[in-house]
Amino acid sequence: MALKSPAFRKKFPLLVTGSLLALQPLATSFVVAAEQYDCSVSASGGWDCAPKTSAAQLPPRPVHDASAVSSSTATSAEGSETSEDTGAKPMLVTESKGRGLKSRSEDYSHLDWVPREKLTAAQLAETGPYCAGAYIEPIRPGMNDKTNKSDAPTFIGAKASRYQQEQQIATLAGDVVMRQGSMQVEADEANLYQAENRGELSGNVRLRDNGTLMVGDHADVQLDTGEAKVDNAEYVMHKSRIRGNALYAKRAENAIIRLKDGTYTTCEPSSNAWQLKGNNITLNPATGFGTATNVTLRVKDIPVLYTPYIYFPIDDRRQSGFLPPTIGSGSDTGFMLVTPYYFNLAPNYDATLYPRYMSKRGMLMEGEFRYLTKSSEGQFGAAYLNDDNDDRKLQTDYQNTRYMYNWQHKGGLDSRVMTEVDYTKISDPYYFQDLQTDQIGVESRDFVNQQGAVSYRGDTYTARLNAQAYQLATVSNVTPYNRLPQITLNGFLPQHPGGLDFTYNTEIVRFDRDLRTGDYKNEDGTTAPFLDTYTRGLTRANGNRLNLAPAVSLPLNWTYGFFKPTLKYQYTQYDLDLDSTGKDQIVADKADAANKGTNYVGGDFSSSQSRGVPIASIDSGLYFDRNTQWFGKNYRQTLEPRLYYLYVPEKNQEDIPVFDTGESTFNYASLFRDNRFSGSDRVGDENKLSLGITNRWIEENGFERQRISVGQALYFKDREVQLPGIDAKTRDDAHSNVSPYALEYEYRWNRDWRTTADYNWDPDSRSPRSGSAMFHYQPEDNPNKVINAGYRYRNDQVIYNQNTGKWQFGGDYGTPGSANYVKDYYKIQQHDFSVIWPIVPQWNVISRWQYDYNRNRTLEAFGGFEYDNCCWKLRLINRYWVKYDETSQDAPQNEKGDHGIFLQIVLKGLGGLTGAKVESFLDKGIQGYREREDQAF
């Protein structure tokens, strides 16, 4: 019988059933298909009923099993009729041990489960790589109906029905379907009670609504509100891949699901890998979160964790509540437990609290507040700990009251004005070595930034006011310079007379720092001078710097090449101040050099310094291409020669201190730069001609298969300008006639395999200056396979030696015979190999080995395995690494080997249980790991 109700829905289902059956012979116990009618409201408000088309002979009426789990007793159609054969007792969901009930369907189709081989391409794209199938909600009438239940008509269908007029009970049998708005209920038979506006359904009950399915043996449904109770229930939430069961499940009018003695999991119907089991579980699709009380986490039906209360997500929406905890241990922290709590305060701001208990240190309270407005975004964060660990009590600057706070902000006052803040303050320089942080954007570095800036963007220029200071997060570095303030103005002129381009760069900045004096106390109580003490001569200076760099160029471009002459003038003015210690050291160093008969290159102090240097360059290149074939494949082969001439006259700059300048590393790109120094404190003198050539192989679809570039510079004069303390006369490459050969190479075997390399060969010493080679493999269609193999070598670094206060070209750490001496400390010679590879389905091996040939030691090595399936993942990693723990100011002495075994268990849909640290070192150590994880591996 198919019925459609008018607007006054509450009484209609039973009234229409009664009026329809009253037309039929009273002796007829069932209304069969041939006698069914379709009824609808006529124009006058009455009923128009017409006979339905004949249907096939009905099957026998299903018998309701009174033993089904229910809190209500079903009323039989006749009131006194009972079946002599009640059939087999249904299997209870509590006997399924976390799996779906096979007694309801062998292939779990009763849970809308579709095997992987039957999924469409679109459905496969939304399914995890190790999932054997997916929960697919079948298309049905009304599934997207948004009408409120109170306003929605009711549709009822069945193969047979009858009505007891005195009791106002309608009985439906055979493929019973009731639909109201987006909700649909199916069963073998149903009793509808008009007086109570209630229905009882028995046998293969299925209730669907808004992407949720509940299956049971018996159900009570309130017809006017949609409230329902399903006994011996299983449920599925299709989009979230959530399923579970319960002694009974209640669906409230607002679609909230409450489970009695229920379970929750994201595993496949055939799996009992993990589940949450609680006395009372509530799932709220409206908010996207669930709660449970007296909960045990069960793995293979074995309880492994208990909590009296848990608040967990059931989809991707944000909601206040506890996040998955992190449990671990470490040598610095002891046993550690983090139980984050998230505050969903508003759509545009939220907060998270991270209470972190450490058995060796106490309770670290940390939290962050994030905000987002129409014109800005940022966060505030803070952390506090009264540290119980006193291992560092003898070390200078250590405090047992430890804290950190930070503010990160980006905003625009209007379309042209931008503001930035990146401010972090820590209690002591050992904070990041001893403690971890969960705050977003806060990293453990050698220093923390304390910066604020305002920028104005005009049509042809950008102006910026910046104030920037640094706080050391280490004791193995000298105090850095602060920029308080820095004003820049960069832009170009809109006019282009004769095709000329006019640009300018302007900077005014104050460099200032307070060098420390006295002694530093190590962890063992011994003392040594602060590293700032070794800062000598002009390196102790503070000062103001004005830098102007206007330039004019004439860019000429053709399809076959380009020609660009440029003339730039860089003028720099300094206003310096130097303490008496620095002045005395200059005098002493000059006298010492005179006694030794060596050249003094430390510079003299003058409070006012200026430098003006013209820079002339001509950059030119040609472009040749042709069509060719390689191994039967068509390519466009290019040949791109480039010629670059640079002239910068020598200007003595020894009396100028270095505030923010270093020497750039040599590579192919440096052949075409107009200054071999970064920063503005040095302008390198050069008269050189650089020659380079690039060859590319490009496929018809634009894919660059291969690129190789090689070049060299010819010098017409020696390079006299050096960083402080470096004598050009003793530096071989400063008076060489040619630069090293520079080579860059890249070959893409396909879109999955890539090889890159660079190599710099010194023809004078007949040895490599630097080089690297990297092989990377990660298929686009299977990012689970990752191979990285690399090697790098560098022996041409210009570094600042903190123990001498001077710059040097390579060299050792310390002096021979001293306890902290390390030969060739600044030389780099390392290989790095990492791999993630599937060995059998669902099992992957993970490994990395980074080795330092210069000091004959392993920097990091780890190996282990990963098991992954549709609902959980396990990693077990054995790791060795060089740990940096500052027990003294001598950097090599702080490098110590450490070892650990790390276990990570990720319950998909619930979060990680242990081993959050595993994620960090895999992410940093294996290129391609993040891409792999982002694609659901």
Side-chain angles (χ1 to χ4, degrees):
M1 177 176 59
L3 306 177
K4 182 176 179 180
S5 69
F8 45 99
R9 175 185 57 83
K10 288 189 177 182
K11 298 295 183 180
F12 166 68
L14 304 185
L15 288 175
V16 174
T17 304
S19 62
L20 177 60
L21 297 180
L23 301 176
Q24 305 173 36
L26 296 178
T28 304
S29 60
F30 288 97
V31 181
V32 297
E35 299 169 314
Q36 294 189 61
Y37 289 78
D38 279 330
C39 296
S40 60
V41 184
S42 67
S44 62
W47 296 106
D48 285 338
C49 298
K52 287 191 64 175
T53 305
S54 298
Q57 185 65 33
L58 290 177
R61 177 187 176 191
V63 179
H64 171 59
D65 182 4
S67 64
V69 181
S70 175
S71 60
S72 303
T73 303
T75 304
S76 68
E78 298 294 335
S80 60
E81 293 181 4
T82 59
S83 173
E84 296 181 2
D85 183 11
T86 59
K89 183 179 180 180
M91 181 177 179
L92 300 182
V93 294
T94 53
E95 302 171 12
S96 66
K97 296 185 178 179
R99 299 181 177 89
L101 281 180
K102 277 198 169 187
S103 59
R104 287 177 173 161
S105 63
E106 189 72 19
D107 58 356
Y108 304 109
S109 57
H110 70 284
L111 296 176
D112 292 342
W113 179 254
V114 178
R116 190 178 187 91
E117 60 272 13
K118 295 183 179 180
L119 296 175
T120 66
Q123 292 166 347
L124 278 173
E126 300 295 325
T127 304
Y130 297 122
C131 294
Y135 301 104
I136 304 299
E137 185 176 12
I139 303 298
R140 57 182 174 85
M143 65 183 300
N144 298 317
D145 193 335
K146 304 299 181 183
T147 309
N148 293 330
K149 294 290 188 297
S150 59
D151 301 325
T154 299
F155 301 86
I156 302 176
K159 288 184 176 181
S161 65
R162 67 178 173 181
Y163 183 66
Q164 300 177 65
Q165 196 164 14
E166 293 182 1
Q167 291 86 1
Q168 294 184 329
I169 299 174
T171 301
L172 309 176
D175 296 338
V176 178
V177 177
M178 294 192 300
R179 178 163 56 85
Q180 183 183 45
S182 60
M183 187 180 77
Q184 176 176 299
V185 186
E186 305 167 67
D188 291 338
E189 62 177 20
N191 292 328
L192 307 180
Y193 299 89
Q194 179 180 353
E196 303 173 22
N197 224 353
R198 179 176 65 87
E200 288 188 0
L201 300 98
S202 300
N204 297 317
V205 176
R206 296 187 182 188
L207 188 151
R208 300 180 180 276
D209 193 14
N210 296 326
T212 301
L213 167 67
M214 291 196 298
V215 180
D217 298 329
H218 179 269
D220 288 329
V221 179
Q222 197 66 32
L223 299 174
D224 55 345
T225 63
E227 294 182 9
K229 177 186 176 185
V230 180
D231 294 322
N232 202 29
E234 296 177 90
Y235 69 91
V236 168
M237 304 181 76
H238 301 81
K239 290 184 179 180
S240 304
R241 295 187 55 84
I242 293 169
R243 72 165 177 88
N245 57 52
L247 186 65
Y248 61 80
K250 288 185 176 180
R251 180 194 183 277
E253 183 178 359
N254 54 7
I256 293 177
I257 298 173
R258 292 181 171 85
L259 310 173
K260 178 60 177 177
D261 293 340
T263 65
Y264 168 95
T265 186
T266 59
C267 293
E268 299 164 318
S270 60
S271 171
N272 68 340
W274 72 267
Q275 61 177 325
L276 290 181
K277 189 170 185 179
N279 285 357
N280 296 283
I281 299 178
T282 301
L283 306 176
N284 191 340
T287 63
F289 272 73
T291 61
T293 58
N294 292 326
V295 182
T296 56
L297 171 64
R298 293 174 175 261
V299 177
K300 298 291 185 181
D301 208 39
I302 300 174
V304 297
L305 183 68
Y306 170 81
T307 176
Y309 177 83
I310 190 172
Y311 192 85
F312 54 91
I314 61 175
D315 58 24
D316 295 333
R317 282 175 292 177
R318 304 182 307 167
Q319 183 68 25
S320 299
F322 284 100
L323 301 178
T326 297
I327 304 172
S329 64
S331 58
D332 291 333
T333 61
F335 172 78
M336 181 180 67
L337 173 64
V338 186
T339 55
Y341 190 89
Y342 177 77
F343 298 88
N344 185 29
L345 304 176
N348 62 325
Y349 56 89
D350 59 18
T352 309
L353 184 65
Y354 303 96
R356 179 188 298 268
Y357 172 74
M358 298 168 286
S359 61
K360 288 187 176 182
R361 297 187 179 275
M363 178 66 76
L364 171 68
M365 295 301 297
E366 183 174 25
E368 65 183 3
F369 171 83
R370 300 187 302 173
Y371 59 90
L372 178 67
T373 69
K374 292 182 179 180
S375 60
S376 67
E377 63 177 347
Q379 73 174 50
F380 295 98
Y384 175 83
L385 169 68
N386 187 12
D387 200 342
D388 296 336
N389 188 295
D390 61 356
D391 290 347
R392 295 189 185 275
K393 64 181 179 181
L394 298 179
Q395 287 187 265
T396 304
D397 293 334
Y398 174 71
Q399 300 181 23
N400 60 358
T401 300
R402 315 187 76 173
Y403 62 85
M404 175 185 68
Y405 54 86
N406 78 94
W407 179 26
Q408 300 173 53
H409 168 86
K410 288 184 180 180
L413 301 180
D414 56 32
S415 60
R416 295 185 178 271
V417 180
M418 179 178 178
T419 58
E420 299 174 77
V421 177
D422 183 5
Y423 185 91
T424 302
K425 174 73 174 177
I426 54 177
S427 58
D428 58 85
Y430 318 102
Y431 186 93
F432 291 121
Q433 298 172 45
D434 297 340
L435 304 173
Q436 299 178 25
T437 177
D438 288 298
Q439 295 184 46
I440 300 172
V442 178
E443 301 177 357
S444 57
R445 300 171 292 186
D446 289 341
F447 58 84
V448 291
N449 199 17
Q450 299 176 347
Q451 179 182 17
V454 179
S455 301
Y456 181 83
R457 183 174 53 200
D459 293 335
T460 61
Y461 65 91
T462 299
R464 178 180 172 88
L465 172 62
N466 178 49
Q468 187 172 22
Y470 300 101
Q471 181 186 0
L472 280 174
T474 175
V475 298
S476 296
N477 281 339
V478 297
T479 302
Y481 279 106
N482 301 323
R483 296 178 176 91
L484 299 172
Q486 179 187 37
I487 303 173
T488 59
L489 178 64
N490 303 323
F492 62 91
L493 298 182
Q495 297 80 17
H496 302 275
L500 295 173
D501 289 345
F502 293 91
T503 62
Y504 55 89
N505 293 285
T506 306
E507 178 193 49
I508 303 174
V509 58
R510 167 69 181 179
F511 291 101
D512 190 81
R513 64 177 174 181
D514 294 324
L515 294 172
R516 304 187 64 172
T517 59
D519 290 339
Y520 170 83
K521 186 177 290 186
N522 298 321
E523 190 177 66
D524 59 3
T526 60
T527 59
F530 278 108
L531 292 178
D532 289 354
T533 307
Y534 300 116
T535 303
R536 301 184 60 81
L538 284 178
T539 57
R540 302 179 64 90
N542 297 324
N544 305 323
R545 184 180 74 192
L546 167 67
N547 189 71
L548 306 174
V552 58
S553 63
L554 180 62
L556 302 174
N557 297 290
W558 306 280
T559 57
Y560 56 85
F562 68 93
F563 184 82
K564 183 181 179 181
T566 302
L567 182 62
K568 181 167 70 172
Y569 186 78
Q570 185 163 340
Y571 176 80
T572 314
Q573 173 71 44
Y574 292 87
D575 182 15
L576 304 174
D577 55 82
L578 182 65
D579 58 12
S580 58
T581 301
K583 295 175 181 177
D584 293 341
Q585 288 171 343
I586 291 175
V587 174
D589 289 345
K590 290 172 104 178
D592 184 61
N595 292 333
K596 294 180 179 179
T598 58
N599 186 33
Y600 174 71
V601 291
D604 289 323
F605 171 72
S606 175
S607 61
S608 180
Q609 294 280 350
S610 64
R611 174 201 63 202
V613 181
I615 302 172
S617 66
I618 299 175
D619 195 4
S620 61
L622 295 174
Y623 178 84
F624 303 95
D625 63 15
R626 66 169 186 169
N627 294 323
T628 187
Q629 280 192 338
W630 191 21
F631 294 107
K633 194 164 190 175
N634 295 327
Y635 290 94
R636 171 74 68 173
Q637 183 186 10
T638 72
L639 193 65
E640 306 165 41
R642 185 176 181 183
L643 190 67
Y644 180 79
Y645 176 75
L646 175 67
Y647 177 76
V648 183
E650 178 188 350
K651 180 72 174 179
N652 192 317
Q653 301 167 53
E654 289 183 354
D655 298 340
I656 298 176
V658 168
F659 295 122
D660 63 353
T661 298
E663 185 170 329
S664 301
T665 57
F666 179 82
N667 53 32
Y668 181 79
S670 66
L671 295 173
F672 309 100
R673 285 198 288 257
D674 64 2
N675 191 2
R676 65 180 188 271
F677 298 99
S678 62
S680 303
D681 297 316
R682 290 290 185 273
V683 179
D685 59 318
E686 286 189 289
N687 185 2
K688 73 174 183 181
L689 180 66
S690 298
L691 303 106
I693 190 168
T694 298
N695 177 243
R696 306 175 196 267
W697 293 68
I698 304 172
E699 295 181 1
E700 294 176 331
N701 60 3
F703 179 70
E704 186 179 271
R705 173 71 65 181
Q706 178 178 247
R707 174 178 50 82
I708 181 170
S709 300
V710 62
Q712 188 183 33
L714 307 176
Y715 297 115
F716 305 110
K717 68 178 294 295
D718 295 343
R719 278 72 61 207
E720 300 295 339
V721 176
Q722 301 291 329
L723 290 169
I726 297 180
D727 187 357
K729 294 181 174 60
T730 62
R731 182 174 175 179
D732 294 338
D733 66 336
H735 45 81
S736 173
N737 294 327
V738 294
S739 76
Y741 294 106
L743 171 70
E744 285 187 352
Y745 180 75
E746 180 176 12
Y747 185 82
R748 297 176 180 266
W749 304 81
N750 49 42
R751 296 186 183 273
D752 304 332
W753 301 71
R754 183 175 73 250
T755 301
T756 58
D758 65 86
Y759 188 68
N760 303 302
W761 172 267
D762 190 342
D764 292 332
S765 64
R766 298 182 179 276
S767 63
R769 282 267 298 268
S770 62
S772 67
M774 171 60 74
F775 171 83
H776 176 69
Y777 171 72
Q778 188 171 28
E780 286 185 345
D781 59 350
N782 186 9
N784 190 37
K785 296 180 178 180
V786 180
I787 298 177
N788 298 301
Y791 175 84
R792 63 175 181 156
Y793 175 89
R794 182 164 297 281
N795 196 25
D796 62 348
Q797 293 190 97
V798 178
I799 56 93
Y800 177 75
N801 191 325
Q802 299 179 125
N803 295 319
T804 63
K806 298 179 181 179
W807 293 83
Q808 66 185 42
F809 184 78
D812 309 329
Y813 187 95
T815 57
S818 63
N820 62 351
Y821 175 72
V822 179
K823 182 175 177 58
D824 291 333
Y825 180 75
Y826 302 102
K827 180 180 178 180
I828 297 174
Q829 189 177 4
Q830 301 171 357
H831 84 239
D832 195 349
F833 174 80
S834 59
V835 63
I836 302 176
W837 199 263
I839 47 178
V840 293
Q842 299 181 265
W843 289 86
N844 301 283
V845 64
I846 300 176
S847 180
R848 185 195 187 197
W849 181 30
Q850 185 181 20
Y851 188 80
D852 180 7
Y853 291 94
N854 186 45
R855 298 175 64 180
N856 297 318
R857 60 174 183 167
T858 294
L859 297 176
E860 182 178 34
F862 58 76
F865 66 86
E866 172 190 83
Y867 173 79
D868 193 0
N869 70 13
C870 192
C871 66
W872 69 288
K873 179 186 294 187
L874 177 144
R875 293 192 186 103
L876 183 63
I877 306 292
N878 185 5
R879 182 186 180 216
Y880 170 87
W881 73 102
V882 173
K883 179 182 178 181
Y884 193 77
D885 183 15
E886 292 190 322
T887 59
S888 71
Q889 294 183 115
D890 291 326
Q893 304 300 314
N894 297 326
E895 299 171 358
K896 300 176 181 178
D898 204 348
H899 176 269
I901 297 178
F902 298 88
L903 173 67
Q904 184 182 46
I905 302 174
V906 179
L907 305 182
K908 299 178 182 180
L910 189 62
L913 283 185
T914 62
K917 191 174 181 180
V918 177
E919 195 82 8
S920 62
F921 70 71
L922 291 179
D923 198 1
K924 294 178 181 178
I926 301 181
Q927 180 185 350
Y929 172 82
R930 181 46 47 198
E931 291 84 347
R932 172 185 187 265
E933 293 301 293
D934 290 343
Q935 296 190 42
F937 280 92

